[in-house]
Amino acid sequence: MSSNGSRRRDVTVADVAKAAQVSKAQAARALGNYGAVSDEVRERVLAAAEELSYRPNELARSMNTGKSHTIGVVVGDIENPHFGLATRGITDTAKKSGFNVILVNTDEDTAAEVDAVRVLLDKRVDGLIVAPASSVETDHLRHVHDSGRPLVLLDRKAGQVEAETMAVGMVSIAHESTQYLLDAGHRRIAFISTLTTDSPYHGGMLLESSQIADRLDGMQQAFRERDLPFPDDLVRLNAGDAESIRRITRDVLLMPAPATAVVASDGLIALSIVEAIQELGLAIPADVSFLMYDDFAWTRLTTPPLTVISQPVYNMGVAAAKALIRQIQGLAPSAPAPKFTATLIRRGSVGPLRTAAALS
């Protein structure tokens, strides 16, 4: 009697060939769906494979065909619902086309991203979808693109890397949402982001994230159009864990010239910002207005429901997967290229500024 530690050996192509009474070469062609093989032989081979519970050796098959039917996806923070939804769009689309997905989280660290790209290429993925941690340090992505390997960028640009990019143009929506806050009388508008920097924000600062840079650009445009000074001191980066987010929120709301409106750069930090506002005993929007990027179900369940900038995140993931699969198949990009726009959804968390003196 065999011990519990012993295992039944894997069924091989030779086993399937023997059961189907065909040659190993014929069985391999039928199982791999390549080369010439008759319908009668194919049916016998597939029936034998099913009977024996045959599972293909994906590594061997990829070495034979040059394709692994696997896509590598690299994102900055899978805990962020934004990336979770985009990844769902990618995996749903990949599955329909017969591709598996290997997902790597980098914690928005460029070194980790460089390593992730190397590991995925070593695993012979057929292509990569990357949400760049940096729009400045992009040599590794440029190398991938220049080598001709299929590459699609998600959510963010990567410097001068001219790969297909599925992202929302942020300048316009940031401009629109800032105009909305300015129309309500707000001048002290805080912007809080997880983007990591070595020093506090200052005007003209080079930012690693194209998304955050574009959002601030749109905000600044709205202030310039009204000849208003932009509140650089209320741009707060490095909002990492929940405690640092609450600390930053308390700081902008308790300083001598406090923020009267707060913009959260994503849904992950928005929760901690709202918690901090409540801990201070302040009410939204009576004491402070609040606006956030991304629209999730919970934003409609708060009191009041939150004003959001909604992005077609799932559709961006779908489009990224489709674009990558087209590259893998050697097809030209879709024409015209997909365009994605965000929408300002006005709910109850933005109100008029109560203190007339603050308008000066």
Side-chain angles (χ1 to χ4, degrees):
M1 181 179 294
S2 62
S3 66
N4 291 337
S6 64
R7 296 182 179 179
R8 176 180 178 273
R9 72 175 180 83
D10 291 337
V11 176
T12 67
V13 173
D15 295 327
V16 175
K18 182 177 180 181
Q21 296 183 327
V22 300
S23 70
K24 183 177 176 181
Q26 286 177 305
R29 288 196 293 270
L31 292 169
N33 196 28
Y34 65 89
V37 61
S38 69
D39 290 341
E40 187 268 337
V41 167
R42 188 185 309 280
E43 290 177 4
R44 282 162 51 193
V45 169
L46 295 179
E50 183 176 358
E51 178 67 25
L52 296 173
S53 298
Y54 168 77
R55 296 183 63 186
N57 184 323
E58 295 294 345
L59 177 59
R61 185 161 68 177
S62 69
M63 293 178 68
N64 288 333
T65 65
K67 302 293 183 184
S68 66
H69 295 283
T70 303
I71 291 171
V73 178
V74 182
V75 298
D77 186 0
I78 196 60
E79 187 181 1
N80 187 333
H82 179 94
F83 287 120
L85 191 55
T87 302
R88 179 61 186 267
I90 293 169
T91 55
D92 286 351
T93 305
K95 183 178 180 180
K96 290 177 182 177
S97 297
F99 287 85
N100 295 312
V101 172
I102 300 176
L103 175 65
V104 182
N105 183 68
T106 66
D107 286 327
E108 299 289 8
D109 181 76
T110 304
E113 180 179 296
V114 171
D115 189 56
V117 168
R118 178 187 58 78
V119 169
L120 289 169
L121 292 178
D122 287 346
K123 289 184 177 296
R124 296 177 178 266
V125 296
D126 295 331
L128 291 168
I129 297 174
V130 182
S134 171
S135 298
V136 178
E137 297 180 35
T138 60
D139 285 349
H140 59 298
L141 297 176
R142 186 174 68 250
H143 176 72
V144 172
H145 182 63
D146 291 349
S147 71
R149 292 178 181 270
L151 171 67
V152 172
L153 303 179
L154 175 69
D155 193 58
R156 307 160 182 173
K157 293 173 284 189
Q160 302 304 311
V161 180
E162 296 184 358
E164 288 185 83
T165 303
M166 304 302 162
V168 172
M170 281 289 120
V171 175
S172 177
I173 192 64
H175 177 267
E176 178 187 346
S177 60
T178 305
Q179 282 185 319
Y180 177 49
L181 293 171
L182 292 173
D183 287 343
H186 298 283
R187 302 294 184 263
R188 296 288 291 166
I189 302 172
F191 178 83
I192 302 176
S193 169
T194 58
L195 180 64
T196 302
T197 58
D198 294 330
S199 60
Y201 176 81
H202 59 81
M205 184 177 188
L206 178 63
L207 299 175
E208 293 274 344
S209 169
S210 64
Q211 281 279 331
I212 300 304
D214 287 348
R215 293 175 193 188
L216 288 171
D217 186 20
M219 293 180 70
Q220 291 162 351
Q221 284 185 22
F223 273 82
R224 283 197 302 270
E225 288 172 358
R226 303 195 185 198
D227 293 323
L228 295 170
F230 182 73
D232 287 340
D233 62 317
L234 292 179
V235 176
R236 300 301 177 92
L237 310 176
N238 300 295
D241 57 17
E243 180 51 41
S244 70
I245 298 166
R246 288 195 291 267
R247 175 181 53 76
I248 289 171
T249 305
R250 289 192 296 266
D251 185 36
V252 299
L253 294 177
L254 296 177
M255 60 197 305
T260 63
V262 177
V263 178
S265 68
D266 63 62
L268 187 61
I269 68 170
L271 282 170
S272 295
I273 293 174
V274 171
E275 287 177 355
I277 293 172
Q278 293 174 342
E279 289 169 358
L280 290 173
L282 301 176
I284 298 173
D287 298 313
V288 58
S289 288
F290 181 78
L291 183 152
M292 61 176 278
Y293 281 83
D294 284 329
D295 183 23
F296 301 108
W298 66 267
T299 64
R300 298 186 290 276
L301 303 177
T302 59
T303 303
L306 302 181
T307 296
V308 300
I309 293 172
S310 177
Q311 302 182 65
V313 183
Y314 180 86
N315 292 340
M316 286 161 53
V318 170
K322 286 183 176 180
L324 188 70
I325 291 168
R326 288 181 67 87
Q327 289 185 33
I328 293 169
Q329 295 172 340
L331 302 175
S334 297
K339 298 291 184 183
F340 300 98
T341 57
T343 304
L344 176 63
I345 301 179
R346 306 180 185 194
R347 295 184 182 135
S349 64
V350 172
L353 184 67
R354 292 193 305 174
T355 307
L359 294 175
S360 59

